[in-house]
């Protein structure tokens, strides 16, 4: 067997670009092959959103305020998709890849592990987008939410950097999960509910400030470490006006850009550490092979 | 004479593992205990040893998946600790019983995905995969989901994954583990063909089937308890056990047997005429098995015909028993 199809050595960039898409591919294809997936990814989230919509409709006497809150919930519900994906899927990804016997093959491949992890993130983003878009569509069609984009450029930039920072965080989680194992992870899962609340998925971040005053402001600042918090707040400002915004848009964008840098840096660090530890302790590969 | 570079060089390689034994008392397991090995570029090299000997540990260290505890390991001239990236560009790895890939993807799609981790342009990757599927007799499963494959089919797909990147050096960890006779045969033939069709390719395979090591490998290292006990060509290894090889020949219508005696390299020669059957049995003890050809060539010259040839030789199993004091598959 000889291959007579010599091709020029691909550049480092091309190699990693191919690896990124190569790893994103199973997610994108796989998603379409499981019919039940569409149900779980679209119908169930809409149910969760619907619950809040009805609560707000019933409790908020002033119609314009109720409408605004429902709009907030729809956007929050849509963005939940990404957060859940990062927390439940991205974080455990390397762990499962190891169990499946793929991790060691990723590790012997001559590409950056960051591109492979990035491919997982891209695939995750794709499936989550299906879910997010279906929530938005349901919001518009079922609950009559009207979205008017007031700051298109900010909207796009804030969304992009929210994704980059959020999935950067997910990539970091993936390595930490590998290093510390499932037990340690369960502890942090316990913390997700409070974070969920603090990040303002179901109401504006500024709500804390209204309710609790100064301490509420600091809860919001703390929650801003999770990229989705300011991403959500920023996108809401772009869609429903800036009155309810936590920080000015420019500041939120700046923080998100900083978080992107931070989390991608930390993800690389954690990945390198995980790899080194794995090679030292013999944990990169499955024992029984 | 030009020097053939080393594909693999291992010096005093040691690896220990901490394991949590009963009641979380830490125990130290020694997987490699000062192993030395040199493999030349272009060799089909076999590591033969029983379960737990350290075969997989060697491969993992060479494939940059595991750090040695101490000692030196170089692959294609690069240090496994320092130049992992350079090594990875030139190697690939296939393990028996490997379950890689995504069950939801087809064989074709999985292979394509792995090709992308090596930066192979899409079209070329597809062509290579198609060709290898044909060679491996797996074409009919190209569009089957990976999770529906049998063990043998899966292993063939794994082999394609490893070879499609055209690695300079490939590690095959028990490539025929659990396969039936036909599938094993096909994979062995593929490996042989792979080595024949281009110079400079190197294969390091591990096995505990001594027939496999014997049939395939240019050289074999026998490993037990983390140490390399012997390393040579299968023929030379077997000579460790008995210096000579023996040949039994049955011929018909023999006229003059003295000619056989004079062939160079024949150490001992006995014969036995069976007059009623018209058959003569000849027994040779030879310095070198290459002489078998000379002897067989002599038969028609003496006006006779060969009825049967039987070469009895020590096996690698015998070598192992002599070196270790127990059989390859005994504990
Ligand atoms: N990650 C690990 N943690 C602890 N011990 C390990 C680990 N990997 C290997 N070992 C131990 O090291 C020794 C050598 O293992 P290795 O897998 O290299 O053997 P092998 O020759 O490949 O055996 P087999 O024929 O069963 O595949 C064994 O005693 C094994 O239990
Ligand atoms: Mg093994």
């Amino acid at each position: 067997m000889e291959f007579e199809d010599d091709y020029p050595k691909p550049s480092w960039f091309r190699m990693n670009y191919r690896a990124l898409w190569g790893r994103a591919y199973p997610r994108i294809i796989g998603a379409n092959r499981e019919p039940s997936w569409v149900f779980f990814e679209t119908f169930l989230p809409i149910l969760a959103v619907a619950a809040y919509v009805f609560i707000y409709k019933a409790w908020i006497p002033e119609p314009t305020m109720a409408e605004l809150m429902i709009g907030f919930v729809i956007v929050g519900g849509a963005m939940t998709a990404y957060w859940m994906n990062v927390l439940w899927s991205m974080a455990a990804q390397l762990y499962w890849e190891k169990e499946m016997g793929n991790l060691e093959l990723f590790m012997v491949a001559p590409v950056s592990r960051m591109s492979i992890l990035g491919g997982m993130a891209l695939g995750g983003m794709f499936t989550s987008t299906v879910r997010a878009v279906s929530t938005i569509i349901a919001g518009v069609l079922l609950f009559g939410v009207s979205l008017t984009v007031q700051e298109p450029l900010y909207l796009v930039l804030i969304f992009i950097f929210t994704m980059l920072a959020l999935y950067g965080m997910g990539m970091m989680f993936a390595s930490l999960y590998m290093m510390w194992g499932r037990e340690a992870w369960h502890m942090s899962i316990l913390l997700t509910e409070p974070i969920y609340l603090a990040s303002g998925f179901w109401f504006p971040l500024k709500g804390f400030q209204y309710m609790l005053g100064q301490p509420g402001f600091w809860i919001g600042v703390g929650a801003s470490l999770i990229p989705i918090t300011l991403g959500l707040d920023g996108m809401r400002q772009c869609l429903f006006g800036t009155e309810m915004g936590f920080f000015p848009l420019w500041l939120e964008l700046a923080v998100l850009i900083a978080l992107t840098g931070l989390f991608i840096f930390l993800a690389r660090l954690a990945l390198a550490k995980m790899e080194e530890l794995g090679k030292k302790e013999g944990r990169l590969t499955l024992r029984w092979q | 004479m030009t020097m053939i570079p080393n594909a693999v060089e291992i010096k005093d390689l040691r690896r220990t593992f901490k394991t949590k034994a009963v009641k979380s008392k830490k125990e130290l397991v020694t997987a490699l205990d000062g192993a030395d090995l040199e493999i030349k570029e272009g060799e089909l090299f076999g590591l033969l040893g029983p379960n737990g000997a350290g075969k997989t540990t060697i491969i993992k260290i060479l494939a940059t998946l595991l750090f040695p505890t101490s000692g030196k390991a170089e692959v294609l001239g690069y240090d496994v600790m320092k130049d992992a990236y350079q090594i990875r560009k030139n190697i690939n790895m296939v393990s028996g019983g490997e379950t890689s890939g995504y069950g939801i993807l087809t064989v074709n799609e999985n292979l394509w995905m792995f090709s992308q981790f090596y930066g192979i342009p899409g079209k070329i990757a597809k062509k290579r995969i198609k060709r290898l599927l044909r060679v491996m007799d797996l074409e009919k499963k190209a569009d089957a989901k990976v999770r529906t494959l049998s063990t043998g089919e899966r292993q063939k797909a794994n082999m394609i994954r490893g070879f499609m990147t055209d690695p300079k050096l490939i590690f095959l960890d028990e490539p025929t583990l659990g396969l039936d006779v036909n599938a094993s045969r096909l994979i062995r033939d593929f490996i042989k063909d792979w080595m024949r069709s281009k110079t400079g390719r190197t294969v390091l395979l591990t096995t505990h089937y001594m027939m496999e090591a014997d049939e395939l490998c240019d050289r074999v290292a026998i490993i037990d308890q983390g140490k390399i006990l012997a390393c040579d060509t299968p023929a030379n290894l077997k000579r460790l056990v008995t210096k000579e090889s023996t040949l039994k020949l049955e011929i018909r219508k023999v006229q003059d047997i003295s000619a056989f005696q004079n062939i160079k390299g024949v150490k001992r020669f006995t014969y036995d005429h069976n007059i009623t059957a018209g058959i003569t049995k000849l027994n040779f003890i030879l310095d070198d098995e290459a002489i078998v050809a000379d002897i067989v060539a002599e038969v028609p010259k003496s006006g006779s015909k060969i009825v049967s040839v039987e070469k009895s030789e020590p096996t690698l199993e015998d070598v192992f028993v002599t070196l270790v004091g127990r059989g390859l598959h005994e504990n």
Side-chain angles (χ1 to χ4, degrees):
Chain A
M1 167 78 43
E2 189 176 354
F3 302 113
E4 273 113 17
D5 51 13
D6 238 5
Y7 54 92
K9 280 260 167 294
S11 64
W12 182 91
F13 178 80
R14 253 205 119 71
M15 290 263 287
N16 284 283
Y17 173 79
R18 283 185 181 135
L20 185 91
W21 278 106
R23 182 54 193 83
Y25 177 78
R27 253 308 174 68
I28 296 169
I29 284 286
N32 296 321
R33 284 213 181 128
E34 296 279 330
S36 64
W37 178 83
V38 178
F39 173 79
F40 287 115
E41 288 300 300
T42 60
F43 185 67
L44 293 184
I46 290 168
L47 274 188
V49 168
Y52 278 89
V53 168
F54 291 124
I55 289 172
Y56 286 157
K57 269 201 173 140
W59 285 4
I60 302 175
E62 199 197 327
T64 51
M65 188 60 192
E67 200 181 309
L68 187 65
M69 286 300 283
I70 289 167
F72 275 30
V73 160
I74 298 294
V75 177
M79 296 302 281
T80 314
Y82 298 104
W83 176 236
M84 297 298 263
N85 180 246
V86 162
L87 212 57
W88 293 103
S89 180
M90 263 313 275
Q93 195 71 50
L94 288 177
Y95 176 88
W96 285 119
E97 298 287 2
K98 178 186 169 185
E99 294 298 302
M100 285 194 285
N102 289 331
L103 184 66
E104 55 189 81
L105 299 179
F106 296 159
M107 290 292 179
V108 291
V111 283
S112 160
R113 293 92 172 75
M114 282 296 276
S115 347
I116 290 176
L117 215 53
M120 295 169 189
L122 198 65
M125 266 184 236
F126 172 83
T127 55
S128 305
T129 299
V130 174
R131 184 173 159 168
V133 168
S134 68
T135 305
I136 299 270
I137 290 173
V140 172
L141 295 183
L142 297 180
F143 309 119
V145 170
S146 67
L147 303 168
T148 43
V149 181
Q150 295 164 15
E151 296 279 0
L153 186 61
Y154 265 121
L155 182 68
V156 169
L157 288 177
I158 284 180
F159 180 75
I160 289 174
F161 281 101
T162 303
M163 287 298 111
L164 291 177
L166 185 64
Y167 278 86
M169 188 177 164
M171 285 156 76
M172 177 188 80
F173 280 162
S175 302
L176 296 181
Y177 190 113
M178 267 279 302
M179 269 193 276
W180 290 334
R182 273 203 281 193
E183 289 77 11
W185 194 251
H186 286 319
M187 288 289 293
S188 64
I189 292 292
L190 285 181
L191 293 173
T192 47
E193 229 18 72
I195 287 175
Y196 211 45
L197 189 74
S199 296
F201 277 99
W202 306 121
F203 50 82
L205 194 59
K206 214 169 187 176
F208 284 116
Q209 225 170 322
Y210 285 137
M211 288 185 288
L212 306 172
Q214 192 71 357
F217 172 75
W218 289 110
I219 290 179
V221 171
S224 300
L225 260 183
I226 312 281
I228 197 107
T229 308
L230 288 187
L232 204 49
D233 195 74
M235 288 172 68
R236 282 169 174 163
Q237 289 194 52
C238 295
L239 291 169
F240 305 108
T242 53
E243 310 86 59
M244 294 286 277
F246 191 70
F247 289 136
L249 276 176
W250 67 266
L251 182 58
E252 298 198 336
L253 180 60
V255 172
L256 285 169
I257 292 173
L259 286 177
T260 299
L262 177 71
F263 281 119
I264 290 183
F265 171 75
L266 288 178
R268 284 190 68 145
L269 214 66
L271 191 59
K273 187 78 204 150
M274 182 277 286
E275 187 180 346
E276 197 191 300
L277 214 66
K279 286 185 185 182
K280 234 182 229 160
E281 297 179 356
R283 294 199 314 194
L284 275 191
T285 56
L286 288 170
R287 175 86 186 273
W288 49 87
Q289 276 184 357
Chain B
M1 203 180 86
T2 51
M3 276 263 287
I4 302 172
N6 281 336
V8 170
E9 198 178 326
I10 288 173
K11 272 220 174 72
D12 196 27
L13 195 65
R14 285 165 205 276
R15 172 73 217 202
T16 52
F17 291 103
K18 282 199 194 86
T19 58
K20 275 198 204 116
V22 230
K23 286 186 186 156
S24 73
K25 235 173 65 186
K26 290 261 164 84
E27 248 174 42
L28 221 54
V29 178
T30 302
L32 291 177
D33 191 12
D36 296 294
L37 200 62
E38 264 182 35
I39 301 171
K40 296 274 172 220
E41 275 182 25
E43 269 192 306
L44 207 175
F45 194 94
L47 268 179
L48 178 68
N51 292 137
K55 304 183 293 293
T56 302
T57 305
I58 287 190
I59 288 204
K60 282 180 181 168
I61 289 174
L62 294 176
T64 75
L65 290 170
L66 188 68
F67 285 145
T69 307
S70 71
K72 189 178 99 172
E74 280 185 7
V75 175
L76 301 164
Y78 297 106
D79 189 309
V80 293
M81 299 279 284
K82 285 186 235 131
D83 300 317
Y85 177 68
Q86 292 300 330
I87 294 173
R88 291 198 297 258
K89 285 202 279 196
N90 294 296
I91 62 166
N92 213 325
M93 179 182 84
V94 180
S95 312
E98 177 186 311
T99 54
S100 62
Y102 299 95
I104 198 163
L105 297 189
T106 67
V107 173
N108 247 330
E109 289 165 343
N110 258 305
L111 289 171
W112 177 82
M113 178 189 76
F114 281 110
S115 76
Q116 295 310 289
F117 300 155
Y118 289 77
I120 306 177
K123 251 196 202 147
I124 290 178
K126 278 181 187 144
K127 250 167 69 193
R128 287 187 179 185
I129 291 166
K130 198 168 171 196
R131 190 164 154 213
L132 282 161
L133 281 168
R134 198 166 52 230
V135 172
M136 286 284 173
D137 193 22
L138 203 60
E139 273 168 312
K140 53 191 179 304
K141 294 284 177 181
D143 295 315
K145 299 245 174 74
V146 170
R147 63 174 167 221
T148 67
L149 297 187
S150 74
T151 313
E153 289 162 350
R154 228 189 153 120
Q155 186 58 4
K156 285 179 184 177
N158 293 336
M159 290 288 283
I160 298 173
R161 178 187 60 63
F163 283 94
M164 72 184 168
T165 64
D166 200 4
K168 259 185 99 153
L169 167 60
I170 188 162
F171 302 108
L172 304 174
D173 195 359
E174 305 194 28
T176 60
L177 187 75
L179 301 191
D180 69 21
V181 183
N182 286 328
S184 305
R185 166 97 289 140
L186 192 133
I187 283 181
R188 283 203 277 267
D189 286 345
F190 176 82
I191 297 170
K192 278 192 244 173
D193 177 65
W194 175 260
M195 292 302 288
R196 256 199 309 265
S197 47
K198 194 173 163 191
T199 53
R201 284 172 168 169
T202 312
V203 171
L204 170 55
L205 70 85
T206 75
T207 181
H208 52 244
Y209 303 129
M210 54 100 187
M211 291 290 282
E212 184 164 282
D214 200 351
E215 179 196 328
L216 274 179
C217 299
D218 301 324
R219 283 197 307 146
V220 172
I222 291 180
I223 177 171
D224 187 47
Q225 296 183 2
K227 286 196 175 77
I228 307 285
L229 302 178
C231 173
D232 212 327
T233 61
N236 282 345
L237 281 174
K238 286 179 273 188
R239 218 156 286 154
L240 288 175
V241 185
T242 8
K243 284 267 176 258
E244 311 90 2
S245 54
T246 61
L247 175 73
K248 291 192 176 84
L249 204 60
E250 289 187 335
I251 56 178
R252 200 189 291 277
K253 288 200 235 160
V254 67
Q255 275 150 19
D256 179 19
I257 48 171
S258 62
F260 292 105
Q261 193 132 33
N262 300 329
I263 297 172
K264 227 176 93 195
V266 173
K267 236 176 158 178
R268 228 148 19 104
F269 167 59
T270 56
Y271 64 91
D272 176 21
H273 290 298
N274 184 335
I275 299 178
T276 44
I279 285 173
T280 305
K281 285 186 185 170
L282 310 174
N283 285 308
F284 299 90
I285 292 185
L286 310 169
D287 276 341
D288 189 332
E289 61 184 302
I291 299 152
V292 172
D294 300 340
I295 293 170
V296 171
E298 190 60 37
V299 177
K301 284 190 216 158
S302 68
S304 47
K305 273 191 181 139
I306 294 179
V307 178
S308 77
V309 183
E310 189 191 318
K311 219 168 122 249
S312 69
E313 253 195 298
T315 62
L316 287 180
E317 177 96 31
D318 300 327
V319 181
F320 189 84
V321 172
T322 318
L323 289 171
V324 181
R326 60 186 154 82
L328 202 45
H329 296 107
E330 299 164 25
N331 280 312

